[in-house]
Amino acid sequence: MTSSQVDKQYDGSEAVGGEAPEEGYERGLGSRQVQMIAIGGAIGVGLFLGAGANIAKAGPSLIMMYALAGVIIFFIMRALGELLLYRPVSGSFAEYSREFLGPFFGYFTGWTYWLMWVVTGMAELTAAAIYVHYWFPHVPQWVTALVFLVVLFVANLISVKLFGEIEFWFSMVKVTALIGMIVIGIGVLTFGFSSAGDTASVANLWQFDGFFPKGIGSSLMTLQGVMFAYLAVELVGVTAGESQDPEKTLPKAINTLPWRIALFYVGALSVILCVVKWTEFAPGVSPFVAAFAKIGIPAGAAIVNFVVLTAALSSCNSGMYSTGRMLRNLADSGEAPKVFSKLSSTKTPALGITISVLFMGIGVILNYLVPEKAFGYVTSVATAAGIWTWLMILVSHILYRRAVDAGRLPASSFPAPGGAKCSWVAVVFLLFVTGLIAYDSESRICLYVMAGWAAALAIGWAILKARNPQVTERREQEFETVG
């Protein structure tokens, strides 16, 4: 590509180098909301509910697994951050895959990210129903899941400002509660108050069969569940098209990720496992709820249960937001029915949200048919879809850096530390986790689901090329010039 071609393609109308394109959305997400969406995205059901099963498998070594995965997540987010400041667009993962890997990968990534959030929404609805069961054991899970689905759906249709405000307060509850749990846990360890005070000790991290009580192999097998806990950190990228000042808010949100992981994951789990020995936790029960019940604080377990319910609803709310935007991005690219590109009078992709919510309703059916297995089924599929999305971010980043080094593309104002090297490390790690999923007979089913999903998308792509070949041809030519 010549320098004149570079200037022509990246003259600002394409929003390269920090200029955000005008996509018709309302730029209704302020810095306060974007920051809290980023913080809240790192605190979800994977931590609050999924950690119980993982503690039973790995014991205290789960802390190390969260720390290790957290480093990789930071690499992924810095790679995404560099791409976002190069060209901030809504539906960013699909756009970058489209540009650097070709049209099929953009199409595949967009639809797979949509699938990830649909099944994540199912998981969150399932978790929310489990939490409500704590107070109302006679109410069927599917009824609770359906009520939450409808309420959040209506809220998402109203405006992006309402979504942002709901997410802000959901995240505020989660953050405040986690900090409170850590402070109380440290108090129990330091001053020995409560019924857990006599047994609370840092030595609980190694006293019961060591730090790796079931072996390193068993600890590594929890990485698939740990990675599910980190799903949604990339949601900041989806907000790029509706952020008031992406050049400032996005880097700030991404750079705060390390301390969020250190405090809310590593810190909170360390305190919990010091206060209560790991052998007392069980799958299907939130370790935070169990810890507060052990401490014996009046209504403590009920309060924590409310907090984790908030976390589930927060993630489901985010899922409805992101699926509608991703469907619109696919429609704008000719890779989904054109009707999805229309915005409502409140500048929300109402039809895309509606269709996505209908698919999330499958989670209600799963809660009716197999309530005890619903959470495990959908989390494994969501993890596989999330790993694909992260891989596409990393590979796109590697190819982008190659193009910048060759002088074909302008440099981003937010370069990732370590350049493409850290992205390569993250790619290897994600492939390793995929291998663990394939090895585990219980989670392996998600790879079969993804294979079926890939086959369905391949058929859809063939139909798309037959009906509208100019879309794919045009984008393939663009890709050739990018290199």
Side-chain angles (χ1 to χ4, degrees), residues 96-348:
Y96 304 136
S97 299
R98 208 171 277 127
E99 178 177 354
F100 296 107
L101 287 157
F104 176 76
F105 286 92
Y107 158 85
F108 196 100
T109 300
W111 277 109
T112 301
Y113 192 67
W114 174 84
L115 173 71
M116 186 198 88
W117 269 114
V118 166
V119 294
T120 298
M122 294 180 194
E124 309 300 4
L125 287 171
T126 300
I130 291 171
Y131 297 142
V132 170
H133 200 256
Y134 175 88
W135 292 301
F136 306 104
H138 302 299
V139 177
Q141 275 186 211
W142 71 270
V143 173
T144 309
L146 181 60
V147 170
F148 286 140
L149 183 70
V150 172
V151 171
L152 292 177
F153 168 58
V154 172
N156 265 271
L157 289 183
I158 295 175
S159 74
V160 69
K161 284 184 178 179
L162 181 59
F163 158 77
E165 203 59 32
I166 290 173
E167 200 54 36
F168 175 84
W169 289 108
F170 273 163
S171 296
M172 183 66 78
V173 169
K174 291 187 288 186
V175 169
T176 303
L178 266 181
I179 292 174
M181 291 177 206
I182 292 171
V183 170
I184 291 171
I186 291 174
V188 172
L189 285 168
T190 305
F191 303 108
F193 63 81
S194 87
S195 56
D198 294 336
T199 56
S201 169
V202 176
N204 284 340
L205 295 180
W206 59 83
Q207 211 165 23
F208 300 94
D209 298 323
F211 191 69
F212 293 91
K214 297 192 176 181
I216 295 177
S218 183
S219 298
L220 290 174
M221 290 304 294
T222 65
L223 280 174
Q224 50 189 302
V226 169
M227 295 310 288
F228 172 77
Y230 285 121
L231 291 184
V233 293
E234 76 292 322
L235 183 64
V236 171
V238 182
T239 68
E242 292 168 277
S243 301
Q244 290 174 356
D245 192 357
E247 288 182 357
K248 293 181 180 179
T249 57
L250 296 179
K252 186 177 179 182
I254 291 170
N255 279 334
T256 57
L257 186 65
W259 73 258
R260 283 185 269 134
I261 289 172
L263 178 63
F264 298 131
Y265 280 91
V266 178
L269 277 176
S270 297
V271 170
I272 289 292
L273 288 169
C274 287
V275 171
V276 182
K277 59 184 180 181
W278 73 269
T279 53
E280 295 188 24
F281 295 109
V285 178
S286 168
F288 296 92
V289 173
F292 268 67
K294 175 74 174 178
I295 291 171
I297 295 176
I303 292 171
V304 177
N305 199 66
F306 170 74
V307 173
V308 294
L309 171 62
T310 301
L313 296 179
S314 167
S315 189
C316 189
N317 187 43
S318 297
M320 292 182 187
Y321 169 85
S322 57
T323 49
R325 272 71 184 171
M326 192 57 71
L327 280 181
R328 184 174 186 239
N329 176 267
L330 288 162
D332 287 343
S333 303
E335 296 163 356
K338 204 66 181 174
V339 68
F340 287 130
S341 65
K342 294 181 180 178
L343 293 177
S344 67
S345 58
T346 56
K347 296 187 177 181
T348 61

